[in-house]
Amino acid sequence: MNFKQRVANQELKGRDKAINLFGAKIELTESTNRYDSWDLSGSTVGIIGTKESNFFIELKDRDYASDDFKSDFLELSKFHNLLDVEPNANHYYLCFFTDGVYRLYKLDGLKLQDVDIKTSLFPSDMDKTYLVEKLAVFLPTKIAIKQGKIN
């Protein structure tokens, strides 16, 4: 299996894990465009007299354990593009790891001056077998709004 296929398979595994994590609690819609800035979307159920709230989730199924690094990273361009999708919605970043741990970050209201932004290597948008330098937001694990373990 080549690198491009591995990336695509990892993305599908991450979506399946997220859908299983949320179960029947909420209805999720998968992005049909592989290059969208979000992978899953949905709406919270409004209580009588309250308005529904839409949300968008970017997710990653990492190929390392949750304690291998002190922070989780997201491309800076993906961070900005995700927040630009329906600005009044909620925007989340969900990471899964090989040890079964997951972490969920709420990106709305996150101040970039409070996190590290560094250059890192990522697969090219045009050719996933080629790595290019891109800016990334490094999120300290302590700011995750939810952390748990899946089966």
Side-chain angles (χ1 to χ4, degrees):
M1 179 182 314
N2 67 33
F3 183 76
K4 190 174 184 177
Q5 290 169 320
R6 274 196 2 244
V7 169
N9 286 347
Q10 199 78 5
E11 193 171 298
L12 291 175
K13 281 180 15 184
R15 286 183 184 204
D16 288 343
K17 287 179 182 179
I19 290 167
N20 289 332
L21 176 67
F22 293 116
K25 298 173 193 166
I26 53 176
E27 187 175 325
L28 295 169
T29 301
E30 293 185 58
S31 167
T32 56
N33 181 349
R34 200 165 169 252
Y35 296 103
D36 273 342
S37 57
W38 55 275
D39 293 302
L40 299 170
S41 68
S43 295
T44 58
V45 177
I47 301 171
I48 297 174
T50 64
K51 185 179 171 188
E52 283 187 359
S53 177
N54 294 335
F55 62 86
F56 296 87
I57 303 170
E58 168 65 11
L59 59 94
K60 292 294 178 199
D61 187 27
R62 299 294 185 195
D63 60 355
Y64 50 82
S66 62
D67 58 359
D68 283 354
F69 300 98
K70 294 178 187 169
S71 58
D72 298 324
F73 63 91
L74 172 66
E75 289 176 41
L76 182 61
S77 61
K78 283 193 176 213
F79 173 85
H80 286 300
N81 291 339
L82 180 60
L83 290 176
D84 286 343
V85 175
E86 202 174 310
N88 292 327
N90 292 303
H91 305 87
Y92 298 95
Y93 180 50
L94 177 59
C95 297
F96 294 98
F97 302 93
T98 57
D99 54 3
V101 169
Y102 68 88
R103 282 192 282 269
L104 179 67
Y105 296 90
K106 186 166 184 356
L107 300 180
D108 303 286
L110 182 67
K111 295 183 174 118
L112 291 179
Q113 64 262 29
D114 295 338
V115 296
D116 287 334
I117 298 175
K118 304 179 211 171
T119 302
S120 192
L121 291 175
F122 290 92
S124 165
D125 292 334
M126 303 305 288
D127 179 0
K128 297 292 183 193
T129 61
Y130 181 71
L131 297 177
V132 295
E133 283 190 350
K134 296 181 182 180
L135 287 174
V137 177
F138 286 80
L139 304 164
T141 58
K142 66 182 179 188
I143 69 168
I145 62 168
K146 184 158 179 67
Q147 181 168 309
K149 195 153 188 168
I150 57 173
N151 302 331

